Amino acid sequence: MKDEVKNIKTLEELQNLYTSVFGKNGTMTAKLKTMATLSNEERAVVNAENTELRQLFKEKQTELETATLNAKLATEYIDVSLDCEPENRGTIHPLTQAMKEISAILESFGYSLWTGPEIEDDWHNFTALNTPEYHPARDMQDSFFLENGNVLRTQTSSIQIRAMEKNGVPIKMFGIGSTYRKEMDATHAPMFHQIEGLYIDKNVTLSDLIGTLRALLSKFFERDIEIRIRPSYFPFTEPSVEFDMKWENGKWLEMGGAGMVHPNVLKNCNIDPNEYQGFAFGFGWDRMAMLKYGLNDLRKFYDGDIRWLKNSGF
Ligand code: PHE
């Protein structure tokens, strides 16, 4: 019997053997039942055998359980020293980065951030901006119109109307967001991003505008930027200008439009143009991002290609 226990290989076999010895009809159980008829010496022998066998079973059980556990540990362990796949971390998109930087600069100048809907009504995108229905500037912008007469906003200037309507004057705000026009090449996409600044108070002048633009660009590009303005035309500003900045190669780059807010626009927002005046400026910050980070194809911004983003240093 002892050898039989020692040779057992599995817990299941051990259990079966145990039952055949100590179970209801087990051999040892039977022996123990006859104890009353045995002499003292014979009892001592049975008792010793009983104790020894039980001990043996116990030891065998521990041995088998330990072996099972070790086998499990050997197959299921985790090798924490193994190299894993490199983590694929997300990065901030260059456009988001530029937007955050420009916003932070304008906020530091005291401008507060406003947003507006991308599907705009005619009033905010055109009419209030002194661009009535027959006005040629509506055509200039090649807009995406919806069937109900609304439009995918062609410029963030719509946000300045919303801000003036809601806040009144004095006001120092900037609007930021996506804008839409029908164009597509390496430097133009049908959806692009504009930022618009507006400052209306009693004594705001064109030279304040020029100083603001210069400070904004210099902060963004982290060096002293030379700018120039050229006469231009926008229905919602008078006078209207376009502003350029001198790039590293000495070339003038056109950056955006600006001007003194047209009295009609102020009147449309219930502001008295005889008392208040101010400037507005707007530009695409996709362009700003391209220049600052040295990226040359605008379309890549929208491809969502992580390899390109990584190679761009983001
Ligand atoms: N909204 C003009 C554009 O899209 C830019 C602009 C903004 C011009 C504010 C003047 C004042 O080109």
Side-chain angles (χ1 to χ4, degrees):
M1 175 55 69
K2 283 189 210 161
D3 284 344
E4 228 178 303
V5 177
K6 278 183 188 153
N7 290 333
I8 270 188
K9 295 271 179 302
T10 69
L11 280 166
E12 203 185 348
E13 283 167 15
L14 188 70
Q15 180 62 50
N16 291 340
L17 188 61
Y18 184 89
T19 313
S20 75
V21 178
F22 296 105
K24 227 167 149 197
N25 304 311
T27 47
M28 182 55 74
T29 315
K31 265 189 203 171
L32 291 169
K33 277 185 189 156
T34 65
M35 287 289 259
T37 64
L38 299 179
S39 68
N40 276 350
E41 281 122 50
E42 283 167 331
R43 273 190 213 171
V45 174
V46 175
N47 269 335
E49 198 192 345
N50 182 31
T51 313
E52 193 188 356
L53 262 181
R54 282 185 192 273
Q55 181 64 28
L56 214 59
F57 269 101
K58 219 176 184 172
E59 281 167 11
K60 190 69 191 179
Q61 185 180 358
T62 312
E63 180 195 319
L64 288 174
E65 279 174 356
T66 310
T68 315
L69 189 66
N70 284 340
K72 223 176 166 184
L73 284 174
T75 53
E76 291 180 6
Y77 90 117
I78 296 167
D79 183 355
V80 290
S81 68
L82 214 61
D83 275 350
C84 58
E85 289 278 308
E87 198 182 350
N88 221 347
R89 283 206 186 189
T91 53
I92 292 188
H93 194 279
L95 286 180
T96 310
Q97 180 67 28
M99 184 264 279
K100 282 185 172 171
E101 289 178 23
I102 299 168
S103 299
I105 296 167
L106 284 172
E107 272 163 4
S108 79
F109 292 172
Y111 289 76
S112 53
L113 171 66
W114 286 68
T115 53
E118 287 178 30
I119 295 177
E120 228 352 322
D121 53 40
D122 180 280
W123 170 255
H124 291 96
N125 197 79
F126 294 120
T127 307
L129 285 160
N130 200 33
T131 319
E133 217 165 306
Y134 53 81
H135 201 289
R138 287 194 179 211
D139 220 49
M140 231 159 67
Q141 299 192 321
D142 259 13
S143 320
F144 290 106
F145 282 101
L146 276 68
E147 271 170 12
N148 64 5
N150 284 346
V151 63
L152 294 186
R153 88 179 154 207
T154 60
Q155 50 190 353
T156 44
S157 303
S158 56
I159 305 176
Q160 60 162 282
I161 299 297
R162 290 184 175 274
M164 282 191 285
E165 282 174 343
K166 197 153 180 197
N167 185 88
V169 278
I171 188 168
K172 202 171 185 186
M173 58 74 66
F174 70 105
I176 197 157
S178 311
T179 43
Y180 301 84
R181 290 180 204 174
K182 291 182 192 155
E183 46 196 15
M184 180 76 164
D185 59 39
T187 52
H188 294 92
M191 182 195 77
F192 57 106
H193 298 90
Q194 272 195 338
I195 200 152
E196 174 107 4
L198 174 76
Y199 181 21
I200 309 277
D201 207 335
K202 292 195 167 153
N203 301 305
V204 181
T205 66
L206 194 64
S207 39
D208 293 322
L209 168 66
I210 296 166
T212 302
L213 291 173
R214 182 168 186 171
L216 171 59
L217 292 169
S218 297
K219 282 235 170 204
F220 182 74
F221 290 104
E222 293 163 346
R223 60 195 170 81
D224 199 13
I225 295 274
E226 208 180 316
I227 69 162
R228 73 176 183 194
I229 56 169
R230 289 176 288 108
S232 184
Y233 170 74
F234 299 101
F236 35 89
T237 43
E238 182 58 39
S240 298
V241 300
E242 258 163 297
F243 57 97
D244 305 336
M245 73 169 184
K246 201 171 200 172
W247 192 233
E248 288 152 342
N249 56 8
K251 282 200 179 134
W252 287 101
L253 300 180
E254 188 185 320
M255 294 309 291
M260 299 305 286
V261 177
H262 197 292
N264 288 350
V265 174
L266 295 175
K267 277 189 225 150
N268 286 337
C269 301
N270 290 321
I271 296 161
D272 181 0
N274 293 320
E275 209 182 335
Y276 284 95
Q277 62 179 28
F279 62 73
F281 60 87
F283 53 87
W285 40 277
D286 308 55
R287 183 90 192 284
M288 303 268 282
M290 288 170 83
L291 287 169
K292 179 158 182 178
Y293 313 127
L295 311 170
N296 52 20
D297 189 344
L298 183 67
R299 290 166 295 194
K300 291 271 187 223
F301 280 130
Y302 305 112
D303 281 352
D305 183 343
I306 289 173
R307 289 164 308 176
W308 176 81
L309 285 173
K310 287 240 149 76
N311 289 337
S312 311
F314 283 86

Short mmCIF file of all heavy atoms in Angstrom, two decimals, residues 155 157 160 181 194 196 234 236-237 257-259 280-282, ligand 1:
data_model
loop_
_atom_site.label_atom_id
_atom_site.label_comp_id
_atom_site.label_asym_id
_atom_site.label_seq_id
_atom_site.Cartn_x
_atom_site.Cartn_y
_atom_site.Cartn_z
N GLN A 155 -15.93 83.34 -43.43
CA GLN A 155 -14.94 84.14 -42.70
C GLN A 155 -15.36 84.20 -41.23
O GLN A 155 -16.53 84.13 -40.91
CB GLN A 155 -14.91 85.56 -43.27
CG GLN A 155 -16.31 86.16 -43.39
CD GLN A 155 -16.33 87.46 -44.17
OE1 GLN A 155 -15.30 87.98 -44.53
NE2 GLN A 155 -17.52 87.99 -44.41
N SER A 157 -15.31 86.71 -39.60
CA SER A 157 -15.88 88.04 -39.34
C SER A 157 -17.30 87.94 -38.80
O SER A 157 -17.78 88.84 -38.10
CB SER A 157 -15.87 88.88 -40.62
OG SER A 157 -14.56 88.98 -41.14
N GLN A 160 -17.47 88.44 -35.14
CA GLN A 160 -17.40 89.79 -34.57
C GLN A 160 -18.79 90.42 -34.50
O GLN A 160 -19.09 91.15 -33.55
CB GLN A 160 -16.41 90.69 -35.33
CG GLN A 160 -16.71 90.90 -36.79
CD GLN A 160 -15.98 92.12 -37.35
OE1 GLN A 160 -16.40 93.25 -37.12
NE2 GLN A 160 -14.90 91.88 -38.07
N ARG A 181 -14.46 77.86 -48.18
CA ARG A 181 -14.59 78.48 -49.50
C ARG A 181 -14.23 77.44 -50.56
O ARG A 181 -13.49 76.50 -50.28
CB ARG A 181 -13.64 79.69 -49.65
CG ARG A 181 -14.06 80.86 -48.79
CD ARG A 181 -13.13 82.05 -48.95
NE ARG A 181 -13.21 82.88 -47.76
CZ ARG A 181 -12.44 83.95 -47.53
NH1 ARG A 181 -11.53 84.30 -48.41
NH2 ARG A 181 -12.58 84.64 -46.42
N GLN A 194 -9.51 80.56 -39.65
CA GLN A 194 -9.24 82.00 -39.54
C GLN A 194 -9.26 82.42 -38.09
O GLN A 194 -9.89 81.79 -37.24
CB GLN A 194 -10.33 82.78 -40.28
CG GLN A 194 -10.04 83.00 -41.73
CD GLN A 194 -10.94 84.08 -42.32
OE1 GLN A 194 -12.01 84.39 -41.81
NE2 GLN A 194 -10.50 84.66 -43.41
N GLU A 196 -9.82 86.15 -36.03
CA GLU A 196 -10.32 87.49 -36.30
C GLU A 196 -10.20 88.30 -35.03
O GLU A 196 -10.62 87.83 -33.96
CB GLU A 196 -11.79 87.36 -36.70
CG GLU A 196 -12.50 88.65 -36.88
CD GLU A 196 -12.75 88.93 -38.35
OE1 GLU A 196 -12.43 88.06 -39.17
OE2 GLU A 196 -13.24 90.01 -38.65
N PHE A 234 -12.45 95.67 -48.33
CA PHE A 234 -13.42 94.74 -47.73
C PHE A 234 -14.67 95.55 -47.47
O PHE A 234 -14.57 96.71 -47.07
CB PHE A 234 -12.90 94.17 -46.40
CG PHE A 234 -11.63 93.38 -46.54
CD1 PHE A 234 -10.40 93.94 -46.20
CD2 PHE A 234 -11.65 92.08 -47.02
CE1 PHE A 234 -9.23 93.23 -46.34
CE2 PHE A 234 -10.47 91.35 -47.17
CZ PHE A 234 -9.26 91.93 -46.83
N PHE A 236 -16.65 95.51 -45.12
CA PHE A 236 -16.94 95.79 -43.70
C PHE A 236 -15.89 96.65 -43.02
O PHE A 236 -15.96 96.88 -41.81
CB PHE A 236 -17.14 94.48 -42.94
CG PHE A 236 -16.26 93.35 -43.42
CD1 PHE A 236 -15.00 93.16 -42.89
CD2 PHE A 236 -16.70 92.50 -44.43
CE1 PHE A 236 -14.20 92.14 -43.35
CE2 PHE A 236 -15.90 91.48 -44.90
CZ PHE A 236 -14.65 91.28 -44.37
N THR A 237 -14.90 97.12 -43.77
CA THR A 237 -13.91 98.03 -43.17
C THR A 237 -13.68 99.22 -44.10
O THR A 237 -13.78 99.12 -45.32
CB THR A 237 -12.57 97.30 -42.93
OG1 THR A 237 -12.26 96.50 -44.06
CG2 THR A 237 -12.60 96.45 -41.68
N GLY A 257 -6.17 90.36 -43.91
CA GLY A 257 -6.87 91.60 -44.17
C GLY A 257 -7.23 92.30 -42.87
O GLY A 257 -7.32 91.66 -41.82
N ALA A 258 -7.44 93.60 -42.97
CA ALA A 258 -7.76 94.36 -41.76
C ALA A 258 -8.33 95.71 -42.16
O ALA A 258 -8.45 96.03 -43.35
CB ALA A 258 -6.51 94.55 -40.91
N GLY A 259 -8.68 96.48 -41.18
CA GLY A 259 -9.16 97.83 -41.47
C GLY A 259 -9.93 98.39 -40.29
O GLY A 259 -10.09 97.73 -39.27
N ALA A 280 -10.60 95.89 -37.10
CA ALA A 280 -10.76 94.43 -37.16
C ALA A 280 -9.65 93.90 -38.05
O ALA A 280 -9.18 94.59 -38.95
CB ALA A 280 -12.12 94.06 -37.74
N PHE A 281 -9.22 92.72 -37.74
CA PHE A 281 -8.24 92.08 -38.63
C PHE A 281 -8.56 90.58 -38.69
O PHE A 281 -9.16 90.02 -37.77
CB PHE A 281 -6.80 92.30 -38.15
CG PHE A 281 -6.50 91.75 -36.77
CD1 PHE A 281 -6.10 90.44 -36.59
CD2 PHE A 281 -6.64 92.57 -35.65
CE1 PHE A 281 -5.82 89.94 -35.32
CE2 PHE A 281 -6.37 92.07 -34.37
CZ PHE A 281 -5.96 90.76 -34.20
N GLY A 282 -8.16 89.97 -39.79
CA GLY A 282 -8.43 88.54 -39.92
C GLY A 282 -7.37 87.89 -40.76
O GLY A 282 -6.85 88.49 -41.71
N1 PHE B 1 -12.70 88.52 -43.42
C1 PHE B 1 -11.61 88.92 -44.26
C2 PHE B 1 -11.19 87.75 -45.13
O1 PHE B 1 -11.70 86.67 -44.96
C3 PHE B 1 -10.44 89.37 -43.47
C4 PHE B 1 -10.71 90.62 -42.69
C5 PHE B 1 -11.11 90.55 -41.39
C6 PHE B 1 -10.58 91.87 -43.29
C7 PHE B 1 -11.38 91.68 -40.66
C8 PHE B 1 -10.83 93.00 -42.58
C9 PHE B 1 -11.21 92.92 -41.26
O2 PHE B 1 -10.37 87.86 -46.00
#
